[in-house]
Short mmCIF file of all heavy atoms in Angstrom, two decimals:
data_model
loop_
_atom_site.label_atom_id
_atom_site.label_comp_id
_atom_site.label_asym_id
_atom_site.label_seq_id
_atom_site.Cartn_x
_atom_site.Cartn_y
_atom_site.Cartn_z
N LEU A 9 96.81 129.69 134.86
CA LEU A 9 97.76 130.71 134.43
C LEU A 9 98.79 130.13 133.47
O LEU A 9 99.17 130.75 132.47
CB LEU A 9 98.46 131.32 135.64
CG LEU A 9 97.58 132.19 136.54
CD1 LEU A 9 98.37 132.64 137.77
CD2 LEU A 9 97.06 133.40 135.78
N ASN A 161 91.30 86.18 124.95
CA ASN A 161 91.60 84.77 124.74
C ASN A 161 92.84 84.65 123.86
O ASN A 161 92.84 85.12 122.72
CB ASN A 161 90.41 84.07 124.08
CG ASN A 161 90.57 82.56 123.99
OD1 ASN A 161 91.68 82.04 123.82
ND2 ASN A 161 89.47 81.84 124.11
N SER A 173 93.77 85.01 106.32
CA SER A 173 94.03 84.13 105.18
C SER A 173 92.86 84.15 104.20
O SER A 173 93.05 84.20 102.98
CB SER A 173 94.29 82.70 105.66
OG SER A 173 94.54 81.84 104.57
N LYS A 184 96.26 96.13 97.55
CA LYS A 184 97.72 96.25 97.72
C LYS A 184 98.10 97.00 99.00
O LYS A 184 99.29 97.17 99.27
CB LYS A 184 98.33 96.96 96.50
CG LYS A 184 97.98 96.28 95.17
CD LYS A 184 98.35 94.79 95.15
CE LYS A 184 97.88 94.10 93.89
NZ LYS A 184 98.11 92.63 93.93
N ASP A 263 108.58 116.65 136.63
CA ASP A 263 107.54 115.67 136.89
C ASP A 263 106.44 115.70 135.83
O ASP A 263 105.91 114.67 135.42
CB ASP A 263 106.91 115.89 138.27
CG ASP A 263 107.81 115.42 139.40
OD1 ASP A 263 108.80 114.70 139.12
OD2 ASP A 263 107.53 115.78 140.56
N LYS A 286 113.97 98.94 117.23
CA LYS A 286 114.93 97.87 116.97
C LYS A 286 114.97 96.87 118.11
O LYS A 286 115.24 95.68 117.89
CB LYS A 286 116.32 98.47 116.75
CG LYS A 286 116.43 99.29 115.47
CD LYS A 286 117.80 99.92 115.31
CE LYS A 286 117.86 100.76 114.05
NZ LYS A 286 119.18 101.44 113.89
N SER A 372 84.95 120.85 119.29
CA SER A 372 84.06 120.23 118.31
C SER A 372 82.76 119.82 118.97
O SER A 372 82.53 120.06 120.17
CB SER A 372 84.74 119.01 117.70
OG SER A 372 84.77 117.95 118.65
N LEU A 377 87.32 116.08 121.52
CA LEU A 377 88.00 116.57 120.32
C LEU A 377 88.10 118.09 120.30
O LEU A 377 87.10 118.80 120.16
CB LEU A 377 87.27 116.06 119.07
CG LEU A 377 87.77 116.55 117.71
CD1 LEU A 377 89.26 116.31 117.54
CD2 LEU A 377 87.00 115.86 116.59
N ASN A 405 91.86 111.49 110.55
CA ASN A 405 91.98 112.83 111.11
C ASN A 405 90.74 113.59 110.70
O ASN A 405 90.41 113.63 109.52
CB ASN A 405 93.24 113.54 110.60
CG ASN A 405 93.34 114.98 111.05
OD1 ASN A 405 93.19 115.91 110.25
ND2 ASN A 405 93.60 115.19 112.32
N PHE A 451 77.56 106.22 112.04
CA PHE A 451 77.25 105.89 113.42
C PHE A 451 78.54 106.04 114.22
O PHE A 451 79.53 105.34 113.97
CB PHE A 451 76.74 104.44 113.51
CG PHE A 451 76.48 103.95 114.91
CD1 PHE A 451 75.28 104.21 115.55
CD2 PHE A 451 77.43 103.20 115.58
CE1 PHE A 451 75.03 103.74 116.84
CE2 PHE A 451 77.20 102.72 116.87
CZ PHE A 451 76.00 103.00 117.49
N LYS A 489 92.72 117.96 93.97
CA LYS A 489 92.91 118.28 92.55
C LYS A 489 94.20 119.08 92.31
O LYS A 489 94.97 118.79 91.39
CB LYS A 489 91.71 119.07 92.03
CG LYS A 489 91.81 119.47 90.56
CD LYS A 489 90.58 120.29 90.14
CE LYS A 489 90.70 120.75 88.70
NZ LYS A 489 89.52 121.58 88.30
#
Side-chain angles (χ1 to χ4, degrees):
L9 291 175
N161 187 326
S173 180
K184 305 306 174 186
D263 284 347
K286 293 177 182 178
S372 73
L377 176 53
N405 174 251
F451 176 84
K489 179 181 177 182

